[in-house]
Amino acid sequence: MGSNGGGDGAGFNTDALEGVRAILLKPSESLDESTRIAGPDFNDAGLGLAGMLGSLASTGFQASHLGDAIDVVNQMLDWRLSQEKPSVECDEAELDPKYRESVKCKIFLGFTSNLVSSGIRDVIRFLVQHHMVDVIVTSAGGIEEDLIKCLGPTYRGDFSLPGALLRSKGLNRIGNLLLPNDNYCKFEKWIMPVLDQMLLEQSTKNVWTPSKVIGRLGKEINDESSYLYWAHKNNIPVYCPALTDGSIGDMLFCHAVHNPGLIIDIVQDVRLMNDEAIHATPRKTGVIILGGGLPKHHICNANMLRNGADYAVYINTAQEFDGSDSGAHPDEAVSWGKIKGSAKPVKVHCDATIAFPLLVAATFAHKFHGAN
Amino acid sequence: PSIRPSLPLRLVSTTPLAPGEQRPLASPDPPENPVDFEFSGGSSEMSDTDEHHFESKADSGASKTYPQQAGAIRKGGHIVIKARPCKVVEVSTSKTGKHGHAKCHFVAIDIFNGKKLEDIVPSSHNCDVPHVDRQDYQLIDITDDGYVSLLTESGNTKDDLKLPTDDVLLGQIKTGFADGKDLILSVMSAMGEEQICAVKEIGGG
């Protein structure tokens, strides 16, 4: 032990020193080497996107959460029924290995409207185009913004643009995006004849529901840049119980003044949505939810009816301290039975415009393009 | 007097309109027996009967309503909603935005039956505004089946109007008439419909 020149050591108790040592230099438990922190090495010219994505898990903080989320989504994509032991009551057909190899995880994708206003709409379109997700839940803006983008573009703006000035120029601001009023006028012009036609087709046998309306709109827009077009084409249901809470609602309102009678049945849709979860078995279910609000809750609630989703990834910026559902961590959902206790859910605290493209690149896109 | 239209006109039909019916400006399916007159600017090839047809058409169809831009219609003005002539009691506008083009929201009262009607019209669109006329007639008689006999300006009688349904007005007319008073009835007319809307006593005998 080193001396600190303390003369004859009077007043310097060896025991006390030992005590201090024990506190300051407490021997540490050894940690698993695989959890060592290391970021991407940009000295490596060949690092590329794949290399950088691979380094996320070991970078720490939310990058690590994103790395974990990538793992969970890859598990969702890789899971097959053949990995599970056959259940006791299953019938002959379910024992067939070929069948079991073909049964995949059912993926619910939820997102808020602002993400559709952003360029994330194009990432969503990629997923829907290639039938990589099975059920979509969003809010009203998540429907109309996709359609409107086929009629007129959204522009880059700035969070600090003054509201009164924008109003005078007929520009609507969503964060740092700008949507000209003209786009909504074009949407009005486009949708009114469709609503007229829908009213004519309405009957006691053919009642419209939000998902049917959305399917029809996806068919009518007939534009490959629209995710709703692909959802219609690939028969992927899009649920939106609050369809009236957006420009579509304004259009329905104005339409009803001149041409009343259109009925949109949300009860039918809640049955369908819950059935998506209940009848998913023997498939496992996975939820990928961007943002909070209605889409987040609606998906989790449906999964509660099957005693919880097997995989869950949340990407949002909401906090739990106010008790909001939007900010609630996956573990809160476990308490409700919305996510299985045996699941390993991940929440990435990050703006989805950053995290989601990275997530898709490392999972869906990676598998789609092969391991090039 | 010969009529020299400056634009080529095409007269399509002379069937009189039912009350409340409006003749469309450009009829897509011409009726079975169209009365077809082709005029070109400057020359008139009309006989007296043709002229008569033309006048009566103008009288029965053209002037029931006139178009006005929605944004120009004010509270207290008139508007046609669902083919009914109405008086506007409330107008509000929402500027162009998420709901599309700027719109005028009208709340109006049907001038004949008092029902409240609403409409939302883009402010740049044209609305139909009804011509609302009021004319006074002296009351001559009330028939047993509830019709009134009125004296017109030309000295003829007008017998096609029923007593009003409004209790107050009805009471005033019946009592006044029974008391032998001289009553002037105001008749409101719009879009082929007529109704007694007010009653005045003339002083004396």
Side-chain angles (χ1 to χ4, degrees), chain B residues 63-81:
Chain B
S63 60
K64 285 202 177 131
T65 65
Y66 62 91
Q68 193 177 19
Q69 210 178 51
I73 299 177
R74 300 273 171 268
K75 185 169 165 177
H78 288 101
I79 190 174
V80 178
I81 297 179

Side-chain angles (χ1 to χ4, degrees), chain A residues 143-152 182-198 213-223 226 228-229 247-248 251 255, chain B residues 99-101:
Chain A
I143 306 298
E144 67 214 24
E145 293 292 315
D146 175 66
L147 300 168
I148 290 173
K149 276 187 175 173
C150 301
L151 307 172
D182 279 354
N183 289 11
Y184 290 103
C185 294
K186 287 183 187 143
F187 184 56
E188 182 183 22
K189 196 168 167 201
W190 176 80
I191 203 176
M192 285 303 175
V194 180
L195 295 177
D196 286 336
Q197 187 56 32
M198 281 169 43
V213 171
I214 293 165
R216 176 56 163 268
L217 295 176
K219 178 180 176 194
E220 296 287 336
I221 198 71
N222 199 25
D223 185 323
S226 150
L228 290 173
Y229 164 75
S247 181
I248 292 188
M251 300 307 163
H255 177 259
Chain B
H99 56 83
H101 290 280

Side-chain angles (χ1 to χ4, degrees), chain B residues 39-148:
Chain B
F39 303 70
S40 51
S43 77
S44 77
E45 298 152 9
M46 297 175 297
S47 67
D48 279 359
T49 43
D50 297 346
E51 210 173 272
H52 174 73
H53 279 305
F54 190 81
E55 264 179 29
S56 73
K57 182 204 174 297
D59 184 53
S60 70
S63 60
K64 285 202 177 131
T65 65
Y66 62 91
Q68 193 177 19
Q69 210 178 51
I73 299 177
R74 300 273 171 268
K75 185 169 165 177
H78 288 101
I79 190 174
V80 178
I81 297 179
K82 292 189 173 54
R84 299 294 309 160
C86 303
K87 183 161 182 169
V88 178
V89 295
E90 209 179 290
V91 189
S92 62
T93 42
S94 24
K95 295 189 191 159
T96 302
K98 200 169 182 181
H99 56 83
H101 290 280
K103 293 175 171 60
C104 297
H105 305 248
F106 294 107
V107 180
I109 308 280
D110 184 314
I111 58 176
F112 291 119
N113 62 32
K115 284 207 187 113
K116 189 170 96 158
L117 293 172
E118 283 179 36
D119 204 2
I120 299 178
V121 186
S123 25
S124 54
H125 278 208
N126 278 347
C127 292
D128 284 325
V129 178
H131 281 291
V132 181
D133 290 317
R134 271 173 86 118
Q135 200 152 20
D136 287 347
Y137 302 91
Q138 186 165 6
L139 178 64
I140 303 171
D141 193 19
I142 301 178
T143 64
D144 290 332
D145 52 353
Y147 281 84
V148 293

Side-chain angles (χ1 to χ4, degrees), chain B residues 14-15 32 46 57 67 83 94 107 111 147 169 190 193 196 199:
Chain B
T14 57
T15 30
E32 266 161 339
M46 297 175 297
K57 182 204 174 297
S94 24
V107 180
I111 58 176
Y147 281 84
L169 199 55
E193 211 172 311
I196 299 166
V199 58

